[in-house]
Amino acid sequence: MCLSEKKYLTQRKKADNKNKKYSAYSVSLREKKCSCREAESTENENKNSAPFASPREKTNNNMSQKKSTFLFPFFLLPFSFLWASTYYVAPNGSDANSGSVSKPWATIQKACDVLVAGDSVIIRDGVYYTDKIIRPKNSGTKDKWITYMVLPTEKAVIDADSLKYVDEWEKKDEAYLKRMQKRGLDVNKLTVSGRTVGAFQIEKVSYIRVIGLAVKMSHAAGILVKGPSKKVELIGCKTDDTFNSGIGVWYADSVKVLHCEVTRANNKECNFLYPIGREAPHEAISMAGAKYFEVAYNHVHLCFKEGIDCKEVSSNGIIHHNYVHDMLRQGIYIDCWFGQLHDVEVFGNTVHHCDIAGIAISGEGRAANMNDVYIHHNVVYDNYGSGILLGPWGDNRLRKNIEIAFNTVVNNGSPGHWQGENGGIDIRTDSVYNVNIHHNVAENNWGFQLALPKKEKEASVFLDKNKILIKDNLVGEYKSKYVERMVSHFMHVYGYQSADDKKIEPESFVDTKNKNFNLKSVVNNKKYGAFAGENDTQVPLLQNP
């Protein structure tokens, strides 16, 4: 069995005690913040606002994907099927049945084997136990998608606790088998914990739509999309207690992850007989080498590593209007490996109570680089590390053409953090070029509002050499706290204040206590921070009440 919520909080407490020398915030405060999120999140999900649609003014205009105007479709679907055939699956059915509403199949895999282009299956309320990876067999077409759907008034859950060993499909990968043999593992009993697989896995099929399906207690990932699949939509799905990613997309094209919820991903206690190091693999929502993707309106919380990670050589994607909180690492992470990651836009997200950073941009991988990343109109608050971080992890590869604009960054950072100094907008690397930071609001962050890896006398040379422009931000009181860091490769940073920035007045927010970070000044609210734009009523989704 995987981790219960009670055990989750216990493990957080143990982690805090183990790293007490790095942390000054109390365990009791952390537990209180974690335990109250479930009640808050339910209320927040009912307050979804319209998408923020402020376009990026980018001169080369190479973001070819348009922002989605897709609306959650449950209210349209139950009585308006246009597909060729509609089948049914129910826990009390039989795979020998016809798959009709009165004679449903028993397993989701039976539907996966039968459905062809244009078909749909309604997966009825109940728990579906599986000891095998569930795989759609056939593709849809451009005009005839295959749809796997749970009715909006029902809950269909795949319980993957009995799924422990990889299937023959995975054993066709000879390189994988050789790697496992070198590790001294029995290739006849390779566990799913040692392979990037999902309880529900979409691989080498396209034009697939999955609506409302849930996965729990997986020793692997929850729902996984693997290339060369393309045109896949995951809508309103949920995952809970997974060893690997809750939802993962690996080298697939044109995938949308919308309105999903991921909890307790990357849980080491879900590992099954696979020798691992200090952590479980990957992230809550992993986009690895994905192209033309969209990750939007998701709720990611109470997980053991990063929240949403766009990594490796992903490109031409948007991550917007997600609600990410209570993560043991970064809330949203952009990180290049194995080549170039490029043209990624992150906007309209709300991120809080994450341990390492709210939003982080890094170049960890060898022979990797990053180009054209735009971080804008996000609300980032109450994170234990810095709000927005350009980090030095791994090989610290070059990131260029980075824009950080119109974000509201408030109350981030904490004393005693293992990174040393932390606060608002944190440039903790010299491996960046052509960075534009403007029209952000940075206020009441712990160590600094904005920081550079150089002291004041060297700051201007560093900014010129790396072509970094910092201007027209609305910032709080200047700070530059110095802390003895616990990790040697995490360089010191020093508070920086541009002469072109504007100082924010005290008590400028509408209601800080209730996390309403609109500025009282209508003029400033239209010009600075996450709520700026042509329509001053637009706000990021799921702003915490």
Coordinates of all heavy atoms in Angstrom, one line a residue, residues 84-129:
A84 N -18.9 7.2 -33.3 CA -19.4 6.1 -34.1 C -20.1 5.0 -33.2 O -21.2 4.6 -33.5 CB -18.3 5.4 -34.9
S85 N -19.5 4.6 -32.1 CA -20.1 3.7 -31.2 C -19.7 4.1 -29.8 O -18.6 4.5 -29.5 CB -19.6 2.2 -31.5 OG -19.9 1.8 -32.7
T86 N -20.7 3.8 -28.9 CA -20.4 4.1 -27.4 C -20.5 2.8 -26.7 O -21.6 2.2 -26.7 CB -21.4 5.2 -26.9 OG1 -21.3 6.4 -27.7 CG2 -21.1 5.5 -25.4
Y87 N -19.5 2.5 -25.9 CA -19.5 1.3 -25.1 C -19.4 1.7 -23.6 O -19.2 2.9 -23.3 CB -18.2 0.5 -25.5 CG -18.2 0.0 -26.9 CD1 -17.4 0.7 -27.8 CD2 -18.9 -1.1 -27.3 CE1 -17.4 0.3 -29.2 CE2 -18.8 -1.6 -28.6 CZ -18.1 -0.8 -29.5 OH -18.1 -1.3 -30.8
Y88 N -19.6 0.7 -22.8 CA -19.6 0.9 -21.3 C -18.8 -0.1 -20.6 O -18.7 -1.3 -21.0 CB -21.1 0.8 -20.8 CG -21.9 1.9 -21.3 CD1 -22.5 1.8 -22.6 CD2 -22.2 3.1 -20.6 CE1 -23.3 2.9 -23.1 CE2 -23.0 4.1 -21.1 CZ -23.5 4.0 -22.3 OH -24.3 5.0 -22.8
V89 N -18.1 0.3 -19.5 CA -17.4 -0.5 -18.6 C -17.9 -0.3 -17.2 O -18.1 0.9 -16.8 CB -15.9 -0.2 -18.7 CG1 -15.1 -1.0 -17.7 CG2 -15.3 -0.5 -20.1
A90 N -18.1 -1.4 -16.5 CA -18.5 -1.2 -15.1 C -17.9 -2.3 -14.2 O -17.6 -3.4 -14.8 CB -20.0 -1.3 -15.0
P91 N -17.6 -2.1 -13.0 CA -17.0 -3.1 -12.1 C -17.8 -4.4 -12.1 O -17.2 -5.5 -11.8 CB -16.9 -2.5 -10.8 CG -16.9 -1.0 -11.1 CD -17.8 -0.8 -12.2
N92 N -19.1 -4.4 -12.2 CA -19.9 -5.6 -12.2 C -20.1 -6.2 -13.5 O -21.0 -7.1 -13.7 CB -21.2 -5.3 -11.5 CG -22.1 -4.3 -12.2 OD1 -21.6 -3.7 -13.2 ND2 -23.3 -4.1 -11.8
G93 N -19.4 -5.7 -14.6 CA -19.6 -6.3 -15.9 C -18.8 -7.5 -16.2 O -18.2 -8.1 -15.3
S94 N -18.7 -7.9 -17.5 CA -17.9 -9.0 -17.9 C -17.3 -8.7 -19.3 O -18.0 -8.1 -20.1 CB -18.8 -10.3 -18.0 OG -18.1 -11.3 -18.7
D95 N -16.1 -9.1 -19.5 CA -15.5 -8.8 -20.8 C -16.1 -9.7 -21.8 O -15.8 -9.5 -23.0 CB -13.9 -9.1 -20.6 CG -13.3 -7.9 -20.0 OD1 -13.9 -6.9 -19.7 OD2 -12.0 -8.0 -19.7
A96 N -16.9 -10.7 -21.4 CA -17.6 -11.5 -22.4 C -18.9 -10.9 -22.9 O -19.5 -11.3 -23.9 CB -17.9 -12.9 -21.8
N97 N -19.2 -9.7 -22.2 CA -20.5 -9.0 -22.6 C -20.2 -8.3 -23.9 O -19.1 -8.2 -24.5 CB -20.9 -8.1 -21.5 CG -21.5 -8.8 -20.3 OD1 -21.9 -9.9 -20.5 ND2 -21.6 -8.1 -19.2
S98 N -21.3 -7.6 -24.4 CA -21.3 -6.8 -25.6 C -20.7 -5.4 -25.4 O -20.4 -4.7 -26.4 CB -22.7 -6.7 -26.2 OG -23.6 -6.1 -25.3
G99 N -20.6 -5.0 -24.1 CA -20.2 -3.6 -23.9 C -21.3 -2.6 -24.0 O -21.0 -1.4 -24.0
S100 N -22.5 -3.0 -24.0 CA -23.7 -2.1 -24.0 C -23.9 -1.5 -22.6 O -23.3 -2.0 -21.6 CB -24.9 -2.8 -24.5 OG -25.3 -3.8 -23.6
V101 N -24.8 -0.6 -22.5 CA -25.1 0.0 -21.2 C -25.7 -1.0 -20.2 O -25.4 -1.0 -19.0 CB -26.1 1.2 -21.4 CG1 -27.4 0.8 -21.9 CG2 -26.2 2.0 -20.0
S102 N -26.4 -2.0 -20.7 CA -27.0 -3.0 -19.9 C -26.1 -4.2 -19.7 O -26.3 -5.0 -18.8 CB -28.4 -3.5 -20.5 OG -28.2 -4.0 -21.8
K103 N -25.2 -4.4 -20.6 CA -24.2 -5.5 -20.5 C -22.8 -5.0 -20.7 O -22.1 -5.2 -21.7 CB -24.5 -6.6 -21.6 CG -25.8 -7.3 -21.3 CD -26.0 -8.4 -22.3 CE -27.3 -9.2 -22.1 NZ -27.5 -10.3 -23.0
P104 N -22.3 -4.2 -19.7 CA -21.0 -3.6 -19.8 C -19.8 -4.6 -19.7 O -20.0 -5.7 -19.2 CB -21.0 -2.6 -18.6 CG -21.8 -3.3 -17.6 CD -22.9 -4.0 -18.4
W105 N -18.7 -4.1 -20.2 CA -17.4 -4.9 -20.0 C -17.0 -4.7 -18.5 O -17.4 -3.8 -17.8 CB -16.4 -4.4 -20.9 CG -16.6 -4.7 -22.4 CD1 -17.2 -5.8 -22.9 CD2 -16.4 -3.8 -23.5 NE1 -17.3 -5.7 -24.3 CE2 -16.8 -4.5 -24.6 CE3 -15.9 -2.5 -23.6 CZ2 -16.7 -3.9 -25.9 CZ3 -15.7 -2.0 -24.8 CH2 -16.2 -2.7 -26.0
A106 N -16.0 -5.5 -18.1 CA -15.5 -5.4 -16.7 C -14.3 -4.6 -16.6 O -14.0 -4.0 -15.6 CB -15.3 -6.8 -16.2
T107 N -13.4 -4.6 -17.7 CA -12.1 -4.0 -17.6 C -12.0 -2.9 -18.6 O -12.5 -2.9 -19.7 CB -11.0 -5.0 -17.8 OG1 -11.0 -5.5 -19.2 CG2 -11.1 -6.2 -16.9
I108 N -11.2 -1.9 -18.2 CA -10.8 -0.8 -19.1 C -10.0 -1.3 -20.3 O -10.1 -0.8 -21.4 CB -10.1 0.3 -18.4 CG1 -11.1 0.9 -17.3 CG2 -9.7 1.5 -19.3 CD1 -10.4 1.8 -16.3
Q109 N -9.1 -2.3 -20.0 CA -8.3 -2.8 -21.1 C -9.2 -3.4 -22.2 O -8.8 -3.4 -23.4 CB -7.4 -3.9 -20.5 CG -6.4 -4.4 -21.6 CD -5.5 -3.4 -22.1 OE1 -4.8 -2.7 -21.4 NE2 -5.5 -3.2 -23.5
K110 N -10.3 -4.0 -21.9 CA -11.2 -4.6 -22.9 C -11.6 -3.4 -23.9 O -11.6 -3.6 -25.1 CB -12.4 -5.2 -22.3 CG -13.4 -5.7 -23.3 CD -12.9 -6.9 -24.1 CE -14.0 -7.4 -25.0 NZ -13.6 -8.5 -25.9
A111 N -12.0 -2.3 -23.3 CA -12.3 -1.2 -24.1 C -11.1 -0.7 -25.0 O -11.2 -0.4 -26.1 CB -12.8 0.0 -23.3
C112 N -9.9 -0.7 -24.4 CA -8.7 -0.3 -25.1 C -8.4 -1.2 -26.3 O -7.9 -0.7 -27.3 CB -7.5 -0.3 -24.1 SG -7.5 0.9 -22.9
D113 N -8.8 -2.5 -26.2 CA -8.6 -3.4 -27.3 C -9.6 -3.3 -28.4 O -9.3 -3.6 -29.5 CB -8.6 -4.9 -26.7 CG -7.5 -5.2 -25.8 OD1 -6.4 -4.5 -25.9 OD2 -7.6 -6.1 -25.0
V114 N -10.8 -2.8 -28.1 CA -11.9 -2.8 -29.0 C -12.1 -1.5 -29.7 O -12.3 -1.5 -30.9 CB -13.2 -3.2 -28.3 CG1 -14.4 -3.1 -29.3 CG2 -13.1 -4.7 -27.8
L115 N -11.9 -0.4 -29.0 CA -12.3 0.9 -29.6 C -11.4 1.2 -30.8 O -10.2 1.0 -30.8 CB -12.1 2.0 -28.5 CG -13.3 2.4 -27.7 CD1 -13.8 1.2 -26.9 CD2 -13.0 3.6 -26.8
V116 N -12.1 1.8 -31.8 CA -11.4 2.3 -33.0 C -11.9 3.7 -33.3 O -12.7 4.3 -32.5 CB -11.8 1.4 -34.3 CG1 -11.3 0.0 -34.1 CG2 -13.3 1.4 -34.5
A117 N -11.3 4.3 -34.3 CA -11.5 5.7 -34.5 C -13.0 6.1 -34.5 O -13.8 5.5 -35.1 CB -10.9 6.1 -35.9
G118 N -13.3 7.1 -33.7 CA -14.6 7.6 -33.5 C -15.4 7.0 -32.4 O -16.4 7.6 -31.9
D119 N -14.9 6.0 -31.8 CA -15.6 5.3 -30.7 C -15.3 6.0 -29.3 O -14.4 6.7 -29.2 CB -15.2 3.8 -30.6 CG -15.7 3.0 -31.7 OD1 -16.6 3.4 -32.4 OD2 -15.2 1.8 -31.8
S120 N -16.2 5.7 -28.4 CA -16.0 6.2 -27.0 C -16.4 5.1 -26.0 O -17.2 4.2 -26.4 CB -16.9 7.4 -26.8 OG -18.3 7.1 -26.8
V121 N -15.9 5.2 -24.8 CA -16.3 4.3 -23.8 C -16.7 5.1 -22.5 O -16.0 6.1 -22.2 CB -15.3 3.3 -23.5 CG1 -14.0 3.9 -23.0 CG2 -15.8 2.3 -22.4
I122 N -17.8 4.8 -21.9 CA -18.1 5.4 -20.6 C -17.7 4.5 -19.5 O -18.2 3.3 -19.4 CB -19.7 5.6 -20.5 CG1 -20.2 6.4 -21.8 CG2 -20.0 6.4 -19.3 CD1 -19.6 7.8 -21.9
I123 N -16.8 4.9 -18.7 CA -16.3 4.1 -17.6 C -17.1 4.5 -16.3 O -17.0 5.6 -15.8 CB -14.8 4.4 -17.4 CG1 -14.0 4.2 -18.7 CG2 -14.2 3.5 -16.3 CD1 -12.6 4.6 -18.6
R124 N -17.9 3.5 -15.9 CA -18.9 3.8 -14.8 C -18.2 3.9 -13.5 O -17.1 3.5 -13.2 CB -20.0 2.7 -14.8 CG -20.7 2.6 -16.1 CD -21.3 4.0 -16.6 NE -22.2 4.6 -15.6 CZ -23.5 4.4 -15.6 NH1 -24.1 3.5 -16.4 NH2 -24.3 5.0 -14.7
D125 N -19.0 4.3 -12.5 CA -18.5 4.6 -11.1 C -18.0 3.3 -10.5 O -18.5 2.2 -10.7 CB -19.7 5.1 -10.3 CG -19.3 5.5 -8.9 OD1 -19.2 4.6 -8.0 OD2 -19.0 6.7 -8.7
G126 N -16.8 3.4 -9.8 CA -16.3 2.3 -9.1 C -14.8 2.2 -9.2 O -14.1 3.1 -9.8
V127 N -14.2 1.2 -8.6 CA -12.8 0.9 -8.5 C -12.4 -0.2 -9.5 O -13.0 -1.3 -9.4 CB -12.3 0.6 -7.1 CG1 -10.8 0.4 -7.1 CG2 -12.7 1.8 -6.1
Y128 N -11.4 0.0 -10.3 CA -10.9 -1.0 -11.3 C -9.5 -1.4 -10.9 O -8.6 -0.6 -11.0 CB -10.9 -0.4 -12.7 CG -12.3 0.0 -13.1 CD1 -12.9 1.2 -12.8 CD2 -13.1 -0.9 -13.9 CE1 -14.2 1.5 -13.2 CE2 -14.4 -0.6 -14.3 CZ -14.9 0.6 -13.9 OH -16.2 0.9 -14.3
Y129 N -9.4 -2.6 -10.3 CA -8.1 -3.1 -9.9 C -7.4 -3.7 -11.1 O -8.0 -4.4 -11.9 CB -8.3 -4.2 -8.8 CG -9.0 -3.7 -7.6 CD1 -10.4 -3.7 -7.5 CD2 -8.2 -3.1 -6.6 CE1 -11.0 -3.3 -6.3 CE2 -8.9 -2.6 -5.4 CZ -10.3 -2.7 -5.3 OH -10.9 -2.2 -4.2

